[in-house]
């Protein structure tokens, strides 16, 4: 529609390209070289690459036609209107999973509490803040999904009372009582038993000790098909960095210990296992 407002020659050329099946990206609105602010800017290279990637994967990816919900980021639990409790999750691992699922041809919904990370082109992003908001969004999104990849670092507790006003220091150091948040994966398990979807659920376990025992416990307690055991005690793996070191655990198979890898490569490994689980 942008082109309808353009010079007739441009509009005609665009119509010809459309007829030939070309996919058009942009132009974007913004500052032009002429100094005007208008439609005419080239789309950013990251967007162009994202669109090309999406187009290639849509054609014959192994997960074409599948719907995948991915969660990413650390939830934020309000203390008062200006303060919250959170954790060190950047969202990088979850966003890498979303990209890997898109690359495999899946339709991706990214339920995200991450800030400052660019979502991959083609993902439908649902922005959330708290664990409760994430729970609501995930339970709704997985109703018609094939897979849930739960990479978010969800706060186990939130302040029992949220102060409606900014807490003043003159009142002295406050005592903040905490109350448990819902366990999203356990809620998904219950819904899945009643409704049948999603077919495959993958959880993560961020651990600083007894990695396999703790992750194995979560695999069972949360009704998962696969858990990604993430040793977050080393500086080059886990929260915020670009690399990760994980072990993939299933109830009916030997643990698969993966070496230190980029988060994109870890994501591709996980999406590869998901393809096998769906098959
Ligand atoms: O975001 P990055 O900076 O890239 O870091 C990636 C990561 C370290 C956050 C990621 O790889 C990871 O390990 N994510 C899981 C973190 C976590 O919260 O682990 P957990 O062991 O506390 O929880 C186990 C599983 O239960 C997780 O899938 C979690 O999403 C889920 N959970 C946790 C609490 C809760 N109330 N509801 C849940 O569903």
């Amino acid at each position: 529609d942008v082109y309808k407002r353009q010079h007739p020659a441009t509009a005609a050329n665009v119509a010809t390209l459309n007829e030939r099946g070309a996919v058009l990206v942009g132009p974007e609105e913004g500052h032009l070289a002429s100094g005007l602010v208008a439609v005419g800017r080239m789309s950013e290279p990251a967007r162009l690459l994202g669109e090309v990637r999406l187009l290639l994967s849509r054609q014959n990816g192994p997960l074409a036609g599948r719907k995948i919900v991915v969660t990413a980021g650390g939830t934020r639990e309000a203390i008062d209107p200006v303060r919250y409790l959170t954790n060190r999750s950047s969202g990088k691992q979850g966003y890498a999973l979303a990209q890997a699922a898109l690359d495999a041809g899946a339709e991706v919904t990214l339920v995200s509490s991450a800030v400052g990370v660019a979502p991959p082109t083609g993902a439908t992003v649902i922005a959330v803040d708290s664990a409760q908001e994430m729970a609501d969004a995930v339970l709704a999104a997985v109703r018609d999904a094939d897979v849930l990849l739960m990479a978010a670092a969800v706060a186990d507790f939130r302040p029992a009372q949220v102060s409606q006003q900014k807490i003043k220091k003159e009142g002295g150091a406050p005592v903040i009582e905490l109350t448990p948040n819902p366990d999203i994966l356990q809620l998904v398990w219950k819904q899945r038993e009643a409704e049948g979807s999603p077919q495959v659920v993958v959880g993560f376990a961020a651990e600083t000790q007894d990695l396999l025992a703790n992750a194995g416990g979560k695999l069972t307690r949360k009704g998962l098909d696969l858990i990604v055991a993430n040793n977050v005690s080393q500086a080059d793996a886990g929260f915020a960095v670009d690399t990760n070191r994980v072990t993939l655990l299933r109830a009916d198979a030997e643990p698969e210990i993966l070496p230190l890898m980029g988060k994109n490569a870890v994501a591709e490994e996980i999406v590869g296992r998901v393809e096998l689980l769906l098959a």
Side-chain angles (χ1 to χ4, degrees):
D1 286 354
V2 157
Y3 297 102
K4 290 197 178 126
R5 288 181 270 128
Q6 306 298 313
H7 191 282
T10 308
N13 286 332
V14 167
T16 305
L17 288 170
N18 277 330
E19 266 169 36
R20 290 177 186 167
V23 175
L24 302 178
V25 182
E28 315 285 341
E29 188 167 4
H31 286 278
L32 306 182
S34 63
L36 293 176
V37 175
V39 173
R41 281 178 67 85
M42 187 188 93
S43 298
E44 292 300 327
R47 169 149 189 240
L48 295 175
L49 184 64
E51 296 288 349
V52 171
R53 228 171 150 154
L54 197 61
L55 206 64
L56 291 173
S57 64
R58 277 309 93 113
Q59 286 163 359
N60 50 13
L63 292 179
R66 297 292 194 170
K67 290 189 179 174
I68 300 198
V69 178
V70 182
T71 67
T75 61
R76 285 177 291 280
E77 311 298 328
I79 297 171
D80 71 10
V82 299
R83 304 180 179 96
Y84 54 77
L85 297 175
T86 191
N87 58 63
R88 295 179 189 281
S89 170
S90 63
K92 284 180 183 175
Q93 186 62 76
Y95 279 44
L97 279 168
Q99 181 67 71
L102 285 162
D103 286 348
E107 201 178 298
V108 173
T109 299
L110 180 56
V111 179
S112 171
S113 53
V115 281
V117 205
T121 304
T124 302
V125 181
I126 301 176
V128 295
D129 238 31
S130 63
Q132 186 59 59
E133 281 177 26
M134 186 171 276
D136 294 344
V138 168
L139 288 171
V142 295
R143 280 229 144 83
D144 67 343
D146 300 288
V147 180
L148 170 64
L149 305 177
M150 192 75 195
V154 184
D156 288 320
F157 302 98
R158 66 178 185 276
Q161 305 287 336
V162 181
S163 171
Q164 294 308 302
Q165 306 298 332
K166 183 182 171 192
I167 298 170
K168 307 301 279 181
K169 72 175 172 193
E170 288 76 13
V175 174
I176 299 172
E177 191 191 329
L178 300 178
T179 191
N181 269 329
D183 188 297
I184 301 174
L185 282 173
Q186 285 180 341
L187 294 178
V188 167
W189 189 14
K190 209 188 277 178
Q191 182 170 295
R192 179 194 194 188
E193 290 204 313
E195 299 179 13
S197 64
Q199 198 182 324
V200 172
V201 179
V202 177
F204 276 68
E207 305 292 345
T208 54
Q209 56 186 353
D210 301 331
L211 180 69
L212 295 191
N214 284 332
K218 287 175 184 172
L219 178 74
T220 315
R221 279 199 308 282
K222 293 174 189 256
L224 306 172
D225 300 291
L226 172 74
I227 193 155
V228 182
N230 204 162
N231 185 340
V232 295
S233 63
Q234 292 150 305
D236 56 2
F239 293 97
V241 291
D242 290 328
T243 46
N244 215 350
R245 193 181 278 109
V246 302
T247 298
L248 307 181
L249 277 185
R250 292 179 51 190
D252 54 358
E254 285 298 307
E256 278 188 82
I257 303 168
L258 302 184
L260 183 73
M261 297 167 120
K263 283 184 173 168
N264 293 333
V266 169
E268 282 164 17
E269 291 287 341
I270 294 167
V271 167
R273 298 311 180 283
V274 166
E275 285 165 29
L276 295 175
L277 287 168
L278 282 170

